[in-house]
Amino acid sequence: TQLLEQSPQFLSIQEGENLTVYCNSSSVFSSLQWYRQEPGEGPVLLVTVVTGGEVKKLKRLTFQFGDARKDSSLHITAAQPGDTGLYLCAGLQTDSWGKLQFGAGTQVVVTP
Amino acid sequence: EPEVTQTPSHQVTQMGQEVILRCVPISNHLYFYWYRQILGQKVEFLVSFYNNEISEKSEIFDDQFSVERPDGSNFTLKIRSTKLEDSAMYFCASGSGTLEAFFGQGTRLTVV
């Protein structure tokens, strides 16, 4: 099993600040997905990155896939209270039929 | 926007009883998955299903578990004889390919 480690586990910031969440592994993944999960609900897909070095932007969220496809980051610019949530990364294992390996998540709290 | 729907949202069952969790994947998707999340733990892969057969399964997915796509729209997970440790949120997901997975809201299974 290819493990994904997310850091930090918890992040509390003030509205308007920037934050970065990291997702690291010693293994190579075919692709990596970022999800956001609210309590008691299913993960909601934010983005998929496939190519090493790829950068994708979703409004104030910037996602990057490492050159070696072993790590990824999520950067939020000028965070807002609506960004509060659990952010999960999930890697698609090589030679698998869609099997995602999830990280434990980073709980982000943005206070007004 | 198309979404994966799961029923019921919450199921309570006695240990040893059989349960069937139901899912309606997004209509043009071809890949179907079940994941589970024990309270406070990571989302874990159970099984993937493509072309009317299991394409991959985890160690968790033992003989007590089975999946079926009985009528071309529903996708079900059956647990034959539930154990206390089967208590978890069960998520169904679907994708048009293996790169992306869209998750349902989940079924909270409580085994008493």
Side-chain angles (χ1 to χ4, degrees):
Chain A
T1 300
Q2 298 162 271
L3 294 176
L4 274 171
E5 300 289 336
Q6 283 190 246
S7 61
Q9 289 183 304
F10 182 82
L11 194 54
S12 180
I13 61 170
Q14 296 283 327
E15 182 176 1
E17 293 182 339
N18 301 332
L19 69 98
T20 302
V21 173
Y22 299 93
C23 179
N24 295 295
S25 176
S26 58
S27 304
V28 175
F29 288 94
S30 301
S31 66
L32 199 131
Q33 305 181 22
W34 283 93
Y35 291 85
R36 180 171 153 175
Q37 186 179 28
E38 301 300 329
E41 298 184 10
V44 175
L45 181 64
L46 298 174
V47 79
T48 301
V49 285
V50 180
T51 308
E54 183 176 4
V55 176
K56 280 192 174 178
K57 294 195 174 187
L58 188 67
K59 297 182 182 176
R60 292 176 293 100
L61 277 60
T62 301
F63 305 85
Q64 183 161 9
F65 202 12
D67 290 341
R69 291 187 288 131
K70 293 182 180 181
D71 54 84
S72 182
S73 63
L74 156 61
H75 182 79
I76 302 179
T77 303
Q80 298 175 2
D83 295 325
T84 293
L86 181 67
Y87 291 85
L88 302 171
C89 66
L92 178 63
Q93 298 202 186
T94 52
D95 300 324
S96 80
W97 284 84
K99 177 179 179 179
L100 290 174
Q101 183 68 38
F102 276 82
T106 294
Q107 179 64 50
V108 171
V109 175
V110 183
T111 53
Chain B
E1 187 171 324
E3 59 181 19
V4 176
T5 56
Q6 292 185 241
T7 55
S9 57
H10 191 185
Q11 172 99 41
V12 181
T13 189
Q14 289 202 323
M15 195 168 52
Q17 293 296 305
E18 174 183 287
V19 293
I20 298 176
L21 309 183
R22 302 179 191 280
C23 168
V24 179
I26 295 172
S27 63
N28 62 341
H29 284 180
L30 302 175
Y31 295 82
F32 313 109
Y33 312 94
W34 284 100
Y35 287 79
R36 79 172 186 190
Q37 187 175 31
I38 294 170
L39 188 63
Q41 297 187 20
K42 294 182 184 182
V43 177
E44 302 175 286
F45 171 82
L46 291 178
V47 66
S48 58
F49 191 85
Y50 171 73
N51 201 25
N52 282 318
E53 60 183 25
I54 291 173
S55 44
E56 193 168 359
K57 60 184 180 179
S58 72
E59 320 75 64
I60 303 167
F61 194 89
D62 61 21
D63 292 343
Q64 294 298 313
F65 292 86
S66 62
V67 289
E68 197 176 35
R69 190 158 156 80
D71 56 12
S73 62
N74 291 288
F75 181 49
T76 61
L77 174 69
K78 182 193 291 187
I79 309 175
R80 265 180 266 286
S81 178
T82 50
K83 303 188 271 277
L84 294 176
E85 53 265 38
D86 293 327
S87 294
M89 280 288 279
Y90 286 81
F91 295 111
C92 173
S94 69
S96 54
T98 57
L99 281 184
E100 293 183 331
F102 295 87
F103 283 72
Q105 292 284 75
T107 293
R108 180 173 299 282
L109 177 66
T110 303
V111 182
V112 297

